[in-house]
Amino acid sequence: QVQLDESGGGLMQAGGSLRLSCAASGRTFGSFAMGWFRQAPGKEREFVAAISIMWSDDTRYYADSVKGRFTISRSNAKKTIYLQMNSLKPDDTAVYYCAARSAGTPSYNHSQYDYWGQGTQVTVSS
């Protein structure tokens, strides 16, 4: 079992920045893939970013809507991943979820993730 605990959400004006954190505990962290998803009211959950946790793989994946503005990173020592969000837009308003996939390969598909955090609200005002 893996527990995921997100933090760092809040209210920000358009153009500002926020950093989300996701701390993992439980099973071995080093072989997982981790991702960030978001869900706005009335919309489906959508992919934001993903990263492999394996030391040998530093590949990162981003949704087109956040590419160039958001950066996903990791600290294997802290069992934590981060999502640095810059140049925030009102369209970024959503509940952001951290997810873990035991298969090890990052995926754009939320149904392929095995563990989920409780979510953290990000609200961007215009």
Side-chain angles (χ1 to χ4, degrees):
Q1 193 73 9
V2 173
Q3 291 78 45
L4 303 174
D5 185 20
E6 303 106 332
S7 61
L11 174 64
M12 178 57 64
Q13 287 188 332
S17 298
L18 284 172
R19 189 176 83 153
L20 305 183
S21 299
C22 173
S25 60
R27 281 185 56 190
T28 302
F29 180 71
S31 60
F32 279 54
M34 302 289 293
W36 287 99
F37 290 79
R38 67 186 181 185
Q39 189 165 18
K43 294 187 178 181
E44 295 187 354
R45 191 166 298 190
E46 66 173 358
F47 171 79
V48 175
I51 189 171
S52 170
I53 302 302
M54 291 186 285
W55 286 106
S56 59
D57 184 359
D58 196 36
T59 306
R60 303 162 198 227
Y61 304 80
Y62 296 98
D64 287 343
S65 59
V66 306
K67 203 171 291 184
R69 300 189 298 121
F70 291 11
T71 302
I72 188 170
S73 61
R74 70 189 190 201
S75 169
N76 287 46
K78 296 182 179 179
K79 295 185 178 182
T80 300
I81 64 167
Y82 306 94
L83 186 68
Q84 178 65 43
M85 306 185 294
N86 298 330
S87 302
L88 283 163
K89 304 176 181 179
D91 284 349
D92 295 319
T93 295
V95 177
Y96 283 70
Y97 296 91
C98 174
R101 182 174 190 234
S102 56
T105 303
S107 172
Y108 297 91
N109 188 340
H110 64 83
S111 67
Q112 296 187 3
Y113 286 78
D114 305 296
Y115 305 98
W116 291 86
Q118 80 286 355
T120 185
Q121 176 71 46
V122 172
T123 302
V124 183
S125 63
S126 58

